[in-house]
Amino acid sequence: MKKLPEHFIFGGATAAYQAEGATQEDGKGAVAWDAFLKEEGRFSPNPASDFYHQYPVDIELCEKFGVNGLRLSIAWSRIFPDGVGEPNPKGIAYYHDVFKQCIEHNVIPFVTLHHFDTPKALFDQGDFLNRDNLDAFVAYAKFCFEEFTEVKHWSTFNEIYPVATNQYLLGVFPPGIHFDFSKVIMCLHNMMVAHARTVNIFKDNKYPGEIGVVHSLETKYPVSDSPEDIHAAFLEDAISIRFLLEATYLGRYTDDLLAALDEICAAQNASYDFLEADYLEMEKASHRNDFLGINHYQCHFCKAYQGPNEIYHNGTGEKGSSVYRVNGIAERIYRDDIPRTDWDWLIYPQGMYDLLVRIKKDYPHYKKIYITENGMGYKDEFEDGVILDTPRIDYLRQYLSAISDAITDGVNVEGYFLWSLMDLFSWTNGYNKRYGLFYVDFETQKRYPKESAYWYKQLSETKTII
Ligand code: NOJ
């Protein structure tokens, strides 16, 4: 039986917009999602899991079920309704109380400053494509470091690659733009510059605690041994993984990476422009990250592809409906021998192991890793308060075993945050894609522990994966 270390964090993960609801309460400012979702008319971000009011219940459940870390985000627009200007005392008081309750219940808060929810006033001016907004983000981060001194674990951003691609490639996040690689690349780079500036301020001012960034890293493999497919996997990896790891840990981009970007730009009629001053900032930060947060759920098998761009995002759970073919980069292929979820996410824990070992090898000064998200989206069945989510337990067992193997092979992973603590609102799937340890009846807001919650509790108590 595989084990996890004695002092390991067995956490649960959430995000403000997906958990809190109350999008217009107590002076919260608007975010682009409010109008975007309304226009789409598919589902509403309210009530979500009503964490804005239910947090005492959720934090108590953490303690009861051995969840000793809670990953959550601050909604920037609860603190600064327009992104900049006068802070909102009610928003500040709310988060102080959330953190206080966590600490009282022996649950360590791990706080993300930005989880897909730039205040609308700034978003409308170009979000992170607008360099002025980098200043606004850094000022907001500094405010939080000085205000929330009870927090000792900070992440700057959640999932920079999905921000860039969902906004400007897939178009499933506001502002809903498709296939604009110039914007994708500049968004990735600018957010990494904002991250570096924030880390440097945190360290220069000697704020207590630790700081890092959360990247979504989905391992890429060629679907065959052909040089073309190997190159397709290399390009997919370059833009989605290596770009971010080089920015984080080298503070600049290697020639190989820039050559891959040039190839992608040529195929997609795109361009980029990185300032020399940015590299100085990024290099300074590159040895100051205390941890890397990794969100990892799945991997991709890549085949060379030349043809029209075609992406269909499976946001309904209709298995087999996903399409991903991007000219000059890759087509993603399912493999019949690899199981996948109803949302077509490949269940391949080897991808977790390979990723962890690679980080240790390529960036030996990485210090520490937290798996900040992993879990299984599933259409849970509720029967008289009982939720037998055996496939989820099976998924968790496999991925945690891969993490345990990586630790045995010398990778320093110090914690795991299961996505999600309770069922949440999903950005592109609404309410039928459930991930929680706790089932949420969205009508009554009552919580019910799933079978996986009991399984996770014994894991946290025994550190043994059974
Ligand atoms: C990544 C994101 O951080 C989170 O917001 C999302 O809901 C989950 N993965 C599941 O897709």
Side-chain angles (χ1 to χ4, degrees):
M1 262 177 303
K2 294 189 176 163
K3 301 278 290 183
L4 287 161
E6 197 48 41
H7 299 288
F8 199 70
I9 308 271
F10 292 92
T14 66
Y17 200 71
Q18 296 181 266
E20 289 173 0
T23 59
Q24 293 177 13
E25 241 171 273
D26 290 340
K28 183 183 189 299
V31 296
W33 282 98
D34 302 339
F36 185 79
L37 291 170
K38 204 164 182 189
E39 201 167 300
E40 273 194 331
R42 291 172 66 208
F43 25 70
S44 159
N46 292 308
S49 329
D50 194 32
F51 186 74
Y52 195 71
H53 304 104
Q54 308 288 334
Y55 65 95
V57 175
D58 290 318
I59 292 168
E60 251 187 72
L61 281 173
C62 285
E63 190 174 33
K64 211 166 146 201
F65 280 80
V67 177
N68 58 3
L70 175 58
R71 182 170 172 245
L72 43 84
S73 71
I74 294 179
W76 181 353
S77 73
R78 283 200 196 282
I79 307 293
F80 294 105
D82 293 321
V84 290
E86 281 305 302
N88 168 24
K90 287 197 173 153
I92 295 169
Y94 166 68
Y95 288 111
H96 273 307
D97 201 53
V98 171
F99 302 145
K100 180 165 167 266
Q101 301 249 356
C102 284
I103 293 159
E104 281 174 8
H105 287 274
N106 304 307
V107 178
I108 305 171
F110 282 72
V111 179
T112 309
L113 289 162
H114 181 278
H115 195 125
F116 302 165
D117 56 352
T118 307
K120 188 171 189 316
L122 302 182
F123 191 91
D124 288 349
Q125 293 162 32
D127 200 20
F128 287 98
L129 298 176
N130 178 343
R131 298 279 298 201
D132 290 344
N133 287 344
L134 276 61
D135 299 342
F137 175 78
V138 174
Y140 152 66
K142 189 163 184 283
F143 177 90
C144 289
F145 299 148
E146 286 175 7
E147 177 66 40
F148 300 110
T149 50
E150 64 274 45
V151 173
K152 301 289 185 273
H153 305 269
W154 293 101
S155 298
T156 50
F157 290 108
N158 178 69
E159 297 201 340
I160 292 174
Y161 185 73
V163 169
T165 51
N166 287 332
Q167 292 188 179
Y168 307 119
L169 172 63
L170 280 73
V172 293
F173 282 14
I177 292 173
H178 295 266
F179 304 116
D180 189 332
F181 272 90
S182 303
K183 289 193 170 62
V184 168
I185 294 171
M186 289 317 297
C187 177
L188 293 174
H189 175 75
N190 288 349
M191 289 181 80
M192 284 311 304
V193 174
H195 163 74
R197 287 178 57 188
T198 309
V199 167
N200 287 331
I201 283 180
F202 189 86
K203 293 295 175 188
D204 290 345
N205 288 321
K206 299 191 169 43
Y207 295 125
E210 54 176 28
I211 188 160
V213 60
V214 171
H215 288 316
S216 160
L217 305 174
E218 298 178 326
T219 319
K220 313 295 177 187
Y221 299 97
V223 75
S224 80
D225 290 339
S226 79
E228 294 79 12
D229 293 346
I230 291 173
H231 189 64
F234 163 77
L235 290 175
E236 268 263 275
D237 179 273
I239 188 146
S240 65
I241 298 184
R242 207 163 143 182
F243 189 114
L244 296 163
L245 291 179
E246 290 192 356
T248 307
Y249 284 120
L250 306 182
R252 59 187 156 74
Y253 308 111
T254 56
D255 291 345
D256 275 2
L257 191 274
L258 291 172
L261 286 190
D262 290 343
E263 193 179 332
I264 290 169
C265 285
Q268 292 290 334
N269 195 19
S271 61
Y272 60 87
D273 182 21
F274 304 149
L275 301 178
E276 202 45 49
D278 292 346
Y279 293 134
L280 295 179
E281 190 78 43
M282 286 160 55
E283 277 177 357
K284 187 171 170 200
S286 64
H287 282 64
R288 301 174 111 182
N289 294 286
D290 296 302
F291 66 86
L292 171 67
I294 297 180
N295 293 357
H296 179 94
Y297 294 82
Q298 60 160 339
C299 67
H300 295 124
F301 285 84
C302 307
K303 183 175 164 55
Y305 177 73
Q306 265 83 36
N309 290 332
E310 270 181 80
I311 297 181
Y312 179 78
H313 171 72
N314 171 358
T316 55
E318 194 192 320
K319 202 169 181 170
S321 62
S322 302
V323 176
Y324 189 97
R325 302 185 187 108
V326 179
N327 181 43
I329 307 183
E331 172 173 5
R332 295 178 185 166
I333 303 286
Y334 308 134
R335 272 183 33 182
D336 289 341
D337 56 329
I338 297 179
R340 54 184 206 270
T341 70
D342 286 341
W343 290 265
D344 298 315
W345 293 24
L346 301 193
I347 303 175
Y348 192 71
Q350 181 71 33
M352 173 75 95
Y353 176 85
D354 290 344
L355 176 70
L356 291 171
V357 169
R358 167 207 184 158
I359 289 167
K360 173 177 183 287
K361 179 172 149 287
D362 290 353
Y363 311 97
H365 60 291
Y366 71 96
K367 294 188 191 151
K368 150 176 18 166
I369 291 172
Y370 297 116
I371 303 303
T372 34
E373 282 184 36
N374 170 252
M376 185 183 178
Y378 188 60
K379 296 171 191 161
D380 287 300
E381 280 174 29
F382 179 93
E383 275 170 40
D384 293 333
V386 176
I387 304 101
L388 287 179
D389 54 344
T390 319
R392 178 174 293 112
I393 296 173
D394 200 41
Y395 175 103
L396 299 175
R397 190 182 284 127
Q398 293 181 54
Y399 275 87
L400 282 155
S401 297
I403 295 167
S404 164
D405 289 346
I407 295 173
T408 305
D409 291 345
V411 185
N412 186 31
V413 184
E414 295 196 5
Y416 174 91
F417 294 79
L418 192 150
W419 185 271
S420 46
L421 179 69
M422 64 290 200
D423 293 334
L424 302 172
F425 163 72
S426 160
W427 309 94
T428 61
N429 306 279
Y431 293 94
N432 85 331
K433 190 183 194 188
R434 292 175 181 266
Y435 279 94
L437 285 176
F438 301 101
Y439 186 95
V440 175
D441 176 333
F442 291 107
E443 298 278 309
T444 62
Q445 289 299 336
K446 199 167 166 346
R447 274 72 169 142
Y448 300 84
K450 301 180 192 174
E451 204 53 26
S452 56
Y454 296 101
W455 182 86
Y456 201 59
K457 182 176 195 297
Q458 66 71 32
L459 172 71
S460 164
E461 284 165 1
T462 63
K463 333 284 176 213
T464 307
I465 306 166
I466 53 166

